[in-house]
Amino acid sequence: MSNQQWDKSGFETKAIHAGYEPDEMTGAVIPPIYATSTYKQDGVGGMRGGYEYSRSANPTRTALEGALASVESGERGFAFASGLAAEDTLVRALCRPGDHVVLPNDAYGGTYRLFDKVEKAWGLDHTPAVLSDVEAVRAAVQPGRTKLVWVETPTNPMLNIADIEALAAVAHEAGALLVVDNTFASPYLQQPLTLGADVVVHSTTKYVGGHSDVIGGALVVRDLDLADKIAFHQNSIGAVPGPFDCFLTHRGLKTLAVRMERHCDNAEKIVEFLAGHPAVEEVIYPGLSTHPGHEVAKRQMKRFGGIISFRVKAGEQAALDVCAKAEVFTLGESLGGVESLIEHPGRMTHASVAGTDLEVSADLIRLSVGIETVEDLIADLDRALS
Ligand SMILES: *Cc1c(COP(=O)(O)O)cnc(C)c1O
């Protein structure tokens, strides 16, 4: 079946079936890992199914790209070797030296470094803005010069929420495109293209892959002219994933819905536990009615995700001790896998922003809540906090 035939299906059906139909010759239910760089042609130019060379296209990648497009309610999907490779390809497809982009003031560190250290040297200017404040974004946009407004929601590690629909209107008024990095929410919880975004970006390394065993990235769009530009740059730049990486990512995507439900169930119970714990100063989670972005998050997300940040009362050393004492929660960077992770943003993921406006408080801990038995996770935190 073509992708369009899954358009009316539910999310889970799309995640499992879109992008691939059982192999004509063998009936293989799962896309084979096509470990081939080139393809036999039936006479000069006689390509079978359009396959010529695996930088341009590979059937294992085609299957993943079709599935990604479908689950994001897009028309075309593109897979990359990493989230940052996807971002760089997008920027070079859509921007030219002298152009300008608006970035979240609390953008993912690697994204900020890409714009500030790589794209800037190439002549692309950027302005950071507080994306939860629509008027601040309007003020940062330079009509005619700004080509992209780049959104993350929720953000890392403070889980700030941006209103995708409102920011799409601001970007479009100025003649810019709205890009949403949907890594933290995943396509199961949030569908930016249906809210007016032009491009969805993923680090599929996180929830989409979901098993902490592969690095990857993706772009999804609805507009076919935009798709053609991205396709040209994907092939011209060549930062594509190999077939085994595509297989792993696609295998992860099929169970995204059930994983996300469990990530959210576990996170909600842990939020409740932390909020009642005497050693905890503050719990940051968009599902809490006290969170400043709660109303917007409720409107644009199905549930509130698996990432929780919290502050401990006794300060930095106590936060470091909790990280060291946790056993079921593994001390490590990254997020979105089936296993729970704990980290100290001030010393780990956000050490490079110390001394800037984005410095995070030293008593802050970030959890990526996995899908283990929640009682074990709570007991682990209880032990680590005592
Ligand atoms: C991890 C991450 C990226 C970068 O993706 P890689 O796959 O590590 O290159 C971009 N954005 C967000 C929000 C991320 O969490």
Side-chain angles (χ1 to χ4, degrees):
M1 269 207 257
S2 75
N3 248 5
Q4 280 76 16
Q5 287 171 273
W6 302 110
D7 279 357
K8 295 207 163 48
S9 305
F11 183 91
E12 292 84 348
T13 308
K14 290 177 179 175
I16 292 165
H17 293 289
Y20 179 73
E21 45 189 310
D23 182 57
E24 289 259 329
M25 191 170 74
T26 64
V29 168
I30 296 301
I33 300 168
Y34 283 89
T36 188
S37 58
T38 188
Y39 304 83
K40 173 180 159 64
Q41 301 189 11
D42 297 321
V44 174
M47 288 180 274
R48 300 182 191 175
Y51 293 101
E52 178 181 30
Y53 183 62
S54 280
R55 171 165 32 72
S56 315
N58 172 286
T60 317
R61 195 174 96 212
T62 304
L64 169 64
E65 292 180 330
L68 287 166
S70 181
V71 295
E72 278 290 1
S73 306
E75 285 296 325
R76 298 272 309 270
F78 300 90
F80 293 88
S82 69
L84 289 177
E87 295 182 16
D88 180 47
T89 303
L90 179 67
V91 167
R92 290 201 264 170
L94 301 182
C95 300
R96 292 293 169 267
D99 288 347
H100 173 257
V101 301
V102 175
L103 296 177
N105 77 323
D106 54 353
Y108 171 75
T111 298
Y112 184 74
R113 183 177 58 203
L114 175 68
F115 280 97
D116 195 52
K117 299 285 191 282
V118 180
E119 314 293 9
K120 194 166 151 187
W122 180 76
L124 185 66
D125 218 3
H126 62 80
T127 304
V130 176
L131 295 196
S132 55
D133 179 350
V134 176
E135 291 317 310
V137 176
R138 202 188 303 279
V141 164
Q142 301 174 19
R145 185 166 176 247
T146 303
K147 291 297 183 301
L148 307 175
V149 175
W150 194 281
V151 172
E152 284 177 35
T153 181
T155 62
N156 179 24
M158 298 309 285
L159 306 173
N160 290 318
I161 301 293
D163 184 333
I164 295 171
E165 242 175 327
L167 295 181
V170 169
H172 295 158
E173 270 166 34
L177 298 180
L178 193 84
V179 178
V180 176
D181 179 336
N182 204 26
T183 300
F184 266 50
S186 90
Y188 179 66
L189 297 180
Q190 182 168 275
Q191 302 256 303
L193 297 176
T194 68
L195 297 167
D198 301 285
V199 184
V200 166
V201 175
H202 276 284
S203 168
T204 55
T205 311
K206 317 292 168 51
Y207 286 110
V208 171
H211 295 73
S212 306
D213 53 8
V214 59
I215 299 282
L219 300 174
V220 182
V221 297
R222 282 187 154 170
D223 182 87
L224 294 178
D225 290 336
L226 208 51
D228 286 343
K229 284 184 190 161
I230 293 169
F232 176 81
H233 284 79
Q234 181 192 40
N235 184 45
S236 300
I237 295 169
V240 293
F244 186 60
D245 287 359
C246 292
F247 167 84
L248 283 174
T249 303
H250 198 167
R251 175 172 152 139
L253 176 62
K254 287 168 195 268
T255 57
L256 179 67
V258 289
R259 285 187 286 108
M260 290 314 295
E261 286 292 344
R262 179 60 77 85
H263 284 296
C264 294
D265 287 345
N266 284 359
E268 284 171 13
K269 287 179 186 140
I270 290 171
V271 162
E272 200 180 305
F273 162 77
L274 290 172
H277 197 286
V280 173
E281 172 72 22
E282 184 190 4
V283 183
I284 300 157
Y285 186 67
L288 289 169
S289 59
T290 50
H291 186 286
H294 178 66
E295 288 307 320
V296 174
K298 207 161 78 179
R299 220 169 42 234
Q300 68 190 17
M301 296 176 79
K302 191 180 174 98
R303 295 183 70 182
F304 303 101
I307 310 295
I308 302 169
S309 291
F310 68 102
R311 294 172 51 221
V312 292
K313 282 187 181 146
E316 179 171 28
Q317 191 53 49
L320 293 169
D321 289 347
V322 171
C323 294
K325 279 201 234 159
E327 288 174 357
V328 185
F329 280 85
T330 302
L331 179 62
E333 299 187 358
S334 196
L335 58 111
V338 292
E339 62 290 308
S340 293
L341 298 175
I342 188 166
E343 69 123 354
H344 185 267
R347 294 279 189 97
M348 294 169 65
T349 49
H350 290 66
S352 66
V353 293
T356 73
D357 288 351
L358 291 179
E359 179 171 300
V360 293
S361 79
D363 54 11
L364 188 77
I365 294 170
R366 188 193 75 187
L367 304 177
S368 172
V369 177
I371 64 171
E372 299 96 334
T373 311
V374 71
E375 289 78 11
D376 294 333
L377 298 176
I378 289 174
D380 193 42
L381 290 172
D382 201 22
R383 193 167 48 236
L385 280 161
S386 65

